[in-house]
Amino acid sequence: MRKETNIIKERRKLKNLSQKQLGAFIGSQAMVSRIESGQILPNAQSIYFICKELDITIDEYFSNNFEIDFNIVNFRNKLNYKYLHNDIDGLYAMYNELKLRKTLTLNNKHDILMLKVLISQ
């Protein structure tokens, strides 16, 4: 579930960036406002640009916005291994496996976004 602290808002303010300035990287000020208020979740491309601009790691973003449990840690470790060993086919296989699941829970969406961000790098 979403936590009360918002790493995007906090880091944006620390870097003295307005919502409009950050919005220039992801689409609009309104989009930044909706993301910061928890009305919408950013897509993989937006997550990548937000993290890059605000010097936030992908792990920090997901840890801040979702409850982290043991399964997430194991999943992240598997992703890190495949990414560090340039196993793009393995990442795509994991992505396709998740997309085939019948139910799309918040955790599944989280896992899919993590994969999409890694694949897009």
Side-chain angles (χ1 to χ4, degrees), residues 21-77:
Q21 289 169 313
L22 184 58
F25 294 99
I26 65 165
S28 70
Q29 178 273 327
M31 184 181 290
V32 174
S33 176
R34 289 192 304 266
I35 291 168
E36 288 184 354
S37 66
Q39 295 174 0
I40 63 170
L41 290 173
N43 63 27
Q45 182 178 11
S46 295
I47 292 169
Y48 173 77
F49 286 121
I50 288 168
C51 290
K52 185 176 178 181
E53 187 60 30
L54 298 179
D55 298 321
I56 301 170
T57 66
I58 300 299
D59 188 48
E60 285 176 305
Y61 169 80
F62 282 105
S63 294
N64 181 263
N65 287 294
F66 299 94
E67 293 293 324
I68 300 299
D69 60 20
F70 187 70
N71 291 332
I72 293 292
V73 172
N74 285 338
F75 182 78
R76 187 188 64 213
N77 290 340

